[in-house]
Amino acid sequence: CVIAFSNVFAAEGQTFLLEHLFNHCTELKSSLDDKQTDALCTTDGTRKWKMILLLLAAGVGRYILTIVTFGSQVPSGLFMPTLVVGACVGRALGWMVESWHLSVGDVYPFEGCIGRTDCIFPSLYAVAGSAAFLGGATRLTVSLSVIMLELTGGLDYIVPL
């Protein structure tokens, strides 16, 4: 309990965290004003790496707790915890790729991003990560793509899924 509340990403509920992880920063800043929005939309380089570690810690913690509860036959669900763990890992990976792009510039593999600052969307990585984790846990294929389409509400995310 103490560990969860010291981490800004583990302190809130799963639905709230998933909503934050799936949204772009421009949408988050216009609609919400809280600690998670500030943490997810930071542009400071050293603070961003701290947030990546906190996000990975929240994902690993939820992953371990999901394994424990699922293995102990406690009716706690598998769908939402798996989506949240995948979204945490995916958003962290998206931040890492974004930081990599900002540090190396518009060279390979970022040649398509020449002159663009909005080329990499960590929220898209969160959607793909949650779909990957859910697909691995439930072994769903086509129906998972339909579920993620309905969850995100946009056709833009279907191609990476």
Side-chain angles (χ1 to χ4, degrees):
C1 183
V2 173
I3 294 172
F5 283 103
S6 64
N7 187 339
V8 68
F9 299 115
E12 293 292 335
Q14 294 180 1
T15 310
F16 191 71
L17 179 61
L18 198 62
E19 177 188 356
H20 276 71
L21 292 174
F22 280 3
N23 283 327
H24 298 298
C25 282
T26 54
E27 297 168 6
L28 285 174
K29 287 181 179 178
S30 64
S31 63
L32 297 170
D33 186 29
D34 56 4
K35 284 196 266 185
Q36 280 188 344
T37 302
D38 293 339
L40 285 173
C41 299
T42 185
T43 55
D44 181 24
T46 56
R47 186 163 186 254
K48 184 176 274 191
W49 284 104
K50 179 183 175 188
M51 293 301 125
I52 288 172
L53 291 176
L54 284 175
L55 195 57
L56 288 174
V60 168
R62 287 188 190 268
Y63 182 69
I64 291 170
L65 291 175
T66 302
I67 290 172
V68 169
T69 57
F70 191 70
S72 65
Q73 303 296 325
V74 176
S76 60
L78 181 66
F79 193 80
M80 277 303 288
T82 307
L83 281 176
V84 171
V85 169
C88 287
V89 173
R91 184 82 182 217
L93 180 66
W95 273 344
M96 288 183 217
V97 171
E98 185 180 50
S99 296
W100 180 31
H101 174 243
L102 293 175
S103 67
V104 298
D106 295 328
V107 297
Y108 180 80
F110 306 111
E111 294 163 340
C113 299
I114 294 175
R116 295 177 53 198
T117 58
D118 62 343
C119 187
I120 296 169
F121 298 106
S123 58
L124 183 60
Y125 283 80
V127 172
S130 65
F133 268 73
L134 187 62
T138 59
R139 297 187 185 126
L140 297 174
T141 54
V142 176
S143 60
L144 177 63
S145 298
V146 174
I147 290 169
M148 295 309 290
L149 170 70
E150 291 177 1
L151 186 65
T152 58
L155 293 172
D156 298 336
Y157 297 135
I158 282 300
V159 175
L161 296 177

